[in-house]
């Protein structure tokens, strides 16, 4: 998560949408008073700052979100609760979202890599632990808490529009591709799915599909 007083924006970081690469890029544009949450493992030249509770010592477990005022993958509603209303309303809030069938394949490869590569895609789906980010950028009633949801499929073009609006210099490249090492199987995402598997993802990501009109 990044909150920039300098450029007046709040970036809500979703999963499997180049969020870390965007954070690394934006951290280099941010001022010393801006809020930049840590990335684990660290990705140079990203530099976290101003994410602790004011007046409190560094927490014993900095990975525990409950010990921090601002933390990675923080929801928009949590940010809203922690900052003054005027600051929230005065910032342009945005996130990135991705076709859920493609996103699920990417998430499978990450989880499977961390497990040692012993899962099939079907075993992953059976667990039902998907990376649905809709609650991260919406209220409990489904109302969006961000001003724009950037589509991963047109990331460069849409980030160019967002950054132009904010006055952030951008040459079309984020300069880093973080966390891109998990996937060696480059088949198109559609090749992973049986009709029943396709339906599982359609149900799990119904809100994202309704919001952005994604299709298989």
């Amino acid at each position: 998560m990044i909150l920039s007083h300098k450029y007046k924006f709040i970036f809500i970081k979703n999963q499997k949408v180049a969020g870390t690469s965007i954070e690394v890029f934006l951290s280099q544009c941010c001022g010393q008073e801006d809020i930049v949450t840590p990335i684990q493992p660290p990705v140079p030249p990203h530099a976290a700052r101003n994410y602790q509770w004011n007046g409190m010592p560094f927490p014993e477990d900095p990975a525990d979100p409950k010990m921090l005022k601002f933390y990675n993958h923080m929801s928009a509603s949590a940010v809203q609760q922690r900052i003054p209303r005027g600051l929230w309303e005065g910032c342009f809030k945005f996130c990135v979202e991705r076709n859920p069938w493609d996103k699920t394949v990417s998430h499978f490869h990450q989880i499977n890599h961390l497990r040692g590569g012993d899962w099939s895609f079907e075993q992953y789906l059976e667990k039902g632990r998907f990376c649905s980010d809709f609650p991260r950028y919406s209220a409990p009633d489904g109302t969006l808490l961000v001003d724009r949801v950037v589509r991963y499929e047109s990331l460069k073009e849409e980030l160019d529009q967002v950054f132009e609006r904010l006055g952030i210099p951008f040459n079309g490249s984020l300069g880093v591709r973080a966390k891109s090492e998990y996937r060696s199987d480059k088949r198109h995402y559609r090749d992973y799915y049986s009709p029943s598997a396709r339906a599982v993802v359609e149900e799990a990501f119904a809100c994202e599909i309704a919001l952005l009109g994604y299709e298989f």
Side-chain angles (χ1 to χ4, degrees), residues 51-199:
Y51 58 91
Q52 297 170 243
W53 286 102
N54 292 334
M56 293 185 67
F58 194 83
E60 293 182 5
D61 182 7
D64 182 359
K66 298 177 182 178
M67 299 294 291
L68 302 175
K69 187 171 185 179
F70 302 99
Y71 50 90
N72 200 17
H73 289 299
M74 188 175 185
S75 69
S77 60
V79 176
Q80 185 180 27
Q81 293 168 4
R82 284 166 163 79
I83 65 176
R85 179 176 178 179
L87 177 58
W88 171 262
E89 294 178 348
C91 284
F92 179 79
K93 298 163 283 290
F94 71 102
C95 67
V96 182
E97 190 54 279
R98 183 175 184 174
N99 179 300
W101 290 279
D102 185 27
K103 186 178 187 179
T104 297
V105 169
S106 180
H107 188 243
F108 156 69
H109 279 288
Q110 180 181 11
I111 297 299
N112 197 35
H113 174 85
L114 296 175
R115 283 181 53 88
D118 62 344
W119 261 3
S120 68
F121 186 55
E122 289 71 22
Q123 287 174 309
Y124 162 83
L125 291 178
E126 287 175 1
K127 293 295 182 181
R129 298 173 183 173
F130 305 122
C131 55
S132 174
D133 289 298
F134 187 75
R136 185 168 281 120
Y137 55 88
S138 66
D141 64 359
T143 303
L144 286 184
L145 295 177
V146 295
D147 300 301
R148 179 159 182 174
V149 180
V150 171
R151 291 174 180 262
Y152 178 84
E153 294 73 24
S154 52
L155 186 66
K156 177 181 174 181
E157 294 79 8
E158 295 200 35
L159 283 182
D160 186 60
Q161 295 169 6
V162 170
F163 293 161
E164 182 178 9
R165 170 176 179 161
L166 296 172
I168 297 174
F170 182 57
N171 65 5
S173 173
L174 294 172
V176 63
R177 290 189 63 198
K179 300 183 179 179
S180 60
E181 71 276 14
Y182 299 121
R183 184 173 179 176
S184 58
D185 185 346
K186 302 298 184 181
R187 287 181 295 158
H188 194 279
Y189 71 82
R190 287 195 295 264
D191 294 338
Y192 285 77
Y193 288 93
S194 65
S196 59
R198 172 182 171 180

